Amino acid sequence: MEERVIDFFNNVFLMDIKQYYDNKLAHIGVQTARLKHRNRWFLTGEIGFFAVLIGFLILYTLVPGGAWCLVCAAACFAIYGCIRLFDAKNSRRIEALGKLETVCRAERLAQDGDFSAFGDGAHYLHPQHSFALDLDLFGSQSLFQRLNRTVTTAGSNRLAYYLTTLPAQDARDDAWIEKQREAIDELSAKETWRSAFCALGNGSASSISSQQVSEALSAMEQISFPVIIRHRLLPIIAYASIGVFFILAACCLFTPLTATFPITWALLQFGFSFFLAVKTLRTTGQTIGHVLRETTVYVQLIRHITAATFVSPRTQQIQALLHDAPIAFKELESMLNAIDRRGNVLGMFFSNALFMSDLFLVCRVRSWLQRHQGRAIAWIEAVAEIEALVSMGAFRYQHPEARAAVVTSADSVCYQARGLYHPFLSPLKAVKNDFTIADGHFYVITGANMAGKSTFLRALGINYILAMNGLCVFADQLSVSVFSLFSSMRTGDDLTKGISYFNAELLRLQQLLSEAAKNRHTLIILDEILRGTNSLDKLNGSLLFLEEVARMPITGVIATHDIELSKLETTRPDRFHNYCFEIELGASDVYPYKITRGVAHNQNATFLLRKMLKESH
């Protein structure tokens, strides 16, 4: 009865989320249509007032005393300019709504199991990792793809790091996990803020190359400046020179002074400013000019973060770290735009001749480096932290049926689950299981093919990874401690390196022993040890291996078809325990997918093969 009630509410929650995004997409569509309609009026106004402007100018040349035509033309030009400004603002709003629509549509598709809009992180997959390959952390339909809402490569890297590096490996403790959980829960509730954040990254995962920005900023710190640029009196002298030019220009208008003097002075200013700064600005442009787009996005992301109201300690800490970042990145963006505008030769000439713009631009670059040297990299990492939390918050929001895990401070392997199931399965269809793992004990799980052994092992591992990151877990209750994890479920051969399947298995088990020896407590999850050899050799080798690991600080869950391994419970009842996934064979075979105590007795390989051969005749 209780499970039926829980399933009912899970269904209601999921339908509510789908309905929410359907309504939001409809609202965005209405807003976009209204703005596009407004755009057409703006375009009509621009064409109309520009035509009238031309008409007044023509009329001025045709009628005597047509000064009033110039006044009307000026008024038309002013109105035309205002309409252009409103049109540009309206276009930006349409573009922003388009990006938001992309984000919301991807979230709506995710509710139906389509995660193709999000990066799958396949490039993070390393077969030698302790558990990433076996637990489907990366690749199509992986945990990473279901989580990933990052908009920069640094954010993507940070999310991948959290999934592949457990707290036991880098000194994070249960207190850190609790702070992480609080931050995730906070961002989960900020759906509007999260969607806007993702939309700032053009609505596509990992589109902004943080590495390029970091490398450009690091290279920028190596730029050398002329000695005279470093002199603190230089700006005063430059301002005085500009003042002299305008005084000469004024004297030229109101006194007999000829224009030769201000023109000569302007040319001197251009020469001094241009030739003193050209090399430095060219180097700066080559170093960082190519990341103008990325810098602009970072400005928007950081503004969005610093403008938010956070309450969890972790998000507040990151926000405080970014306190000075909006102004600094905005200033950097302004400098990059100024360097980019130097491509307009005529504009560059007059700006240097009249205002010595290159000289002041070099001074701005040097001043920026002095004030923010080294800090920009830390700001990029802070944004990456928020991106990882946003991804996890979105996952939490998408799965209201999941529960918070209890992470204990026990100095041992502790894993107590009630109603555990795999995150990739629908909560309405998944079969839930209860299971407890005690420190130093080994659990031998037998069962037929397709009975649910491998899925159960992956459910154990992937829910533990979620718990270690402060994420919701897919169980009615889950209590775990902090320990290391190692799995061996998908070992494969490597023909390019001359490694056979059996040799690959041995190398994997050797890696297991090596890594477990470095850790205080390790949970190992194994699926069919030594399947690459004959049955008797496999049994003897498996027994030998399990006897060895039983002497180490290791706890294990081992799935096998080899019933003989279950005899370990008889010889070592204090350490080994038998569990199974039993099936029912008959006219139609039944797979309950429930784990129970004992040893499986029914095997289905011969049964299914006979059935297949019978149907083929």
Side-chain angles (χ1 to χ4, degrees):
M1 178 64 181
E2 180 184 353
E3 289 186 358
R4 286 200 298 270
V5 172
I6 291 174
D7 287 344
F8 170 76
F9 281 109
N10 286 343
N11 194 25
V12 171
F13 287 144
L14 293 174
M15 290 301 294
D16 283 347
I17 295 175
K18 291 180 180 180
Q19 189 63 50
Y20 170 79
Y21 282 114
D22 286 338
N23 293 341
K24 191 169 184 177
L25 285 167
H27 180 65
I28 291 173
V30 171
Q31 285 184 301
T32 303
R34 184 166 61 247
L35 292 175
K36 286 183 176 179
H37 180 72
R38 191 179 298 173
N39 245 15
R40 288 192 287 271
W41 282 106
F42 284 141
L43 180 61
T44 302
E46 288 172 28
I47 295 173
F49 277 99
F50 188 78
V52 174
L53 166 66
I54 299 299
F56 277 119
L57 292 176
I58 294 172
L59 190 61
Y60 171 75
T61 63
L62 299 177
V63 299
W68 62 273
C69 294
L70 291 179
V71 174
C72 292
C76 289
F77 181 76
I79 296 172
Y80 169 81
C82 290
I83 295 175
R84 285 282 296 172
L85 290 175
F86 284 118
D87 188 19
K89 183 179 180 181
N90 196 65
S91 297
R92 288 194 297 270
R93 291 182 63 188
I94 293 173
E95 182 183 5
L97 282 174
K99 294 177 181 179
L100 184 60
E101 182 183 21
T102 300
V103 170
C104 293
R105 196 169 300 282
E107 295 292 350
R108 178 60 182 84
L109 290 172
Q111 280 293 307
D112 291 330
D114 181 358
F115 303 97
S116 57
F118 310 112
D120 62 12
H123 56 290
Y124 295 116
L125 185 58
H126 301 291
Q128 288 74 38
H129 187 268
S130 301
F131 49 80
L133 175 63
D134 297 330
L135 301 184
D136 301 307
L137 294 193
F138 303 107
S140 179
Q141 297 293 312
S142 63
L143 179 62
F144 181 89
Q145 190 172 38
R146 293 163 190 263
L147 283 165
N148 188 18
R149 303 296 187 273
T150 61
V151 296
T152 73
T153 54
S156 179
N157 294 341
R158 177 57 57 178
L159 180 61
Y161 172 82
Y162 281 141
L163 293 182
T164 55
T165 308
L166 296 176
Q169 297 172 262
D170 64 359
R172 285 174 284 158
D173 56 12
D174 54 307
W176 180 91
I177 296 171
E178 178 60 22
K179 289 181 180 178
Q180 183 88 337
R181 184 191 64 77
E182 291 174 358
I184 291 169
D185 288 347
E186 178 183 21
L187 290 176
S188 172
K190 291 180 174 290
E191 194 285 328
T192 302
W193 186 90
R194 283 188 288 102
S195 294
F197 181 88
C198 294
L200 292 175
N202 296 320
S204 57
S206 307
S207 59
I208 305 303
S209 176
S210 307
Q211 183 177 359
Q212 286 187 359
V213 178
S214 298
E215 290 175 351
L217 290 171
S218 297
M220 191 177 173
E221 295 174 1
Q222 308 303 317
I223 295 175
S224 60
F225 295 87
V227 176
I228 192 172
I229 292 292
R230 306 172 197 170
H231 202 290
R232 60 183 180 181
L233 292 178
L234 181 64
I236 299 174
I237 296 172
Y239 282 122
S241 176
I242 295 170
V244 170
F245 165 76
F246 281 103
I247 291 172
L248 291 173
C251 291
C252 186
L253 290 174
F254 302 107
T255 69
L257 188 70
T258 64
T260 304
F261 290 97
I263 291 173
T264 303
W265 194 269
L267 291 174
L268 291 173
Q269 285 192 154
F270 169 79
F272 181 76
S273 175
F274 177 79
F275 291 107
L276 186 65
V278 63
K279 182 178 179 181
T280 303
L281 291 180
R282 184 187 298 119
T283 304
T284 303
Q286 292 171 348
T287 302
I288 199 169
H290 61 285
V291 294
L292 175 59
R293 171 178 169 267
E294 285 81 359
T295 304
T296 301
V297 173
Y298 266 110
V299 170
Q300 296 171 338
L301 293 175
I302 292 171
R303 278 180 178 172
H304 195 64
I305 295 169
T306 53
T309 302
F310 293 131
V311 295
S312 70
R314 185 149 166 70
T315 49
Q316 285 183 337
Q317 181 184 16
I318 298 171
Q319 190 179 47
L321 182 62
L322 291 170
H323 181 265
D324 297 330
I327 297 174
F329 266 97
K330 183 63 180 176
E331 187 179 351
L332 178 62
E333 180 190 24
S334 174
M335 290 187 298
L336 293 178
N337 280 321
I339 292 173
D340 187 58
R341 286 194 298 270
R342 293 181 75 253
N344 183 336
V345 177
L346 189 62
M348 184 265 293
F349 171 79
F350 281 107
S351 62
N352 274 295
L354 302 180
F355 305 106
M356 304 180 75
S357 58
D358 281 2
L359 180 66
F360 286 108
L361 184 54
V362 169
C363 291
R364 286 176 62 194
V365 171
R366 181 171 177 272
S367 174
W368 191 92
L369 286 172
Q370 287 179 325
R371 287 179 286 120
H372 305 299
Q373 188 170 8
R375 300 177 67 194
I377 306 300
W379 291 334
I380 289 174
E381 289 302 317
V383 173
E385 288 285 348
I386 288 291
E387 289 181 71
L389 290 172
V390 164
S391 297
M392 296 178 185
F395 185 77
R396 179 73 183 92
Y397 179 81
Q398 289 270 4
H399 293 282
E401 75 279 11
R403 303 285 185 270
V406 176
V407 180
T408 71
S409 56
D411 187 20
S412 60
V413 173
C414 171
Y415 198 118
Q416 296 177 331
R418 186 171 73 84
L420 182 81
Y421 63 100
H422 198 289
F424 297 179
L425 299 177
S426 166
L428 305 178
K429 298 180 180 179
V431 177
K432 300 180 179 180
N433 282 290
D434 302 341
F435 200 69
T436 298
I437 301 173
D439 186 55
H441 289 241
F442 293 85
Y443 303 84
V444 179
I445 302 177
T446 54
N449 296 295
M450 304 182 296
K453 301 188 304 300
S454 298
T455 300
F456 176 72
L457 295 185
R458 292 190 175 94
L460 289 173
I462 203 167
N463 274 294
Y464 180 69
I465 291 169
L466 293 174
M468 289 298 98
N469 282 287
L471 276 160
C472 54
V473 295
F474 293 76
D476 297 335
Q477 290 181 4
L478 180 63
S479 177
V480 293
S481 59
V482 178
F483 50 80
S484 299
L485 180 66
F486 193 97
S487 66
S488 180
M489 302 176 68
R490 283 181 174 150
T491 307
D493 57 5
D494 190 339
L495 297 179
T496 60
K497 296 181 180 179
I499 299 175
S500 67
Y501 184 88
F502 180 69
N503 192 28
E505 283 189 290
L506 291 179
L507 291 173
R508 185 67 176 175
L509 295 179
Q510 184 180 40
Q511 182 186 355
L512 184 158
L513 295 173
S514 176
E515 292 195 17
K518 303 174 186 176
N519 303 314
R520 287 180 58 81
H521 304 285
T522 302
L523 173 65
I524 62 172
I525 299 176
L526 309 179
D527 192 1
E528 291 296 337
I529 309 173
L530 302 176
R531 70 181 74 182
T533 187
N534 65 72
S535 299
L536 180 60
D537 198 26
K538 171 186 174 183
L539 173 61
N540 293 332
S542 299
L543 290 171
L544 180 65
F545 179 76
L546 291 177
E547 288 172 2
E548 175 63 26
V549 297
R551 290 192 285 267
M552 301 177 68
I554 291 177
T555 303
V557 182
I558 303 100
T560 182
H561 289 284
D562 200 332
I563 304 299
E564 291 296 316
L565 279 183
S566 63
K567 293 181 180 179
L568 284 168
E569 184 183 58
T570 304
T571 58
R572 295 289 302 276
D574 58 322
R575 300 287 299 281
F576 287 85
H577 314 279
N578 290 331
Y579 282 82
C580 68
F581 283 91
E582 192 59 276
I583 63 172
E584 301 174 15
L585 297 177
S588 60
D589 38 316
V590 178
Y591 297 84
Y593 301 120
K594 294 292 288 187
I595 192 167
T596 57
R597 287 283 283 141
V599 181
H601 298 289
N602 292 326
Q603 302 297 320
N604 61 354
T606 304
F607 174 82
L608 292 175
L609 185 59
R610 284 176 178 166
K611 186 177 179 181
M612 181 192 71
L613 292 173
K614 183 178 179 180
E615 291 174 353
S616 65
H617 288 300

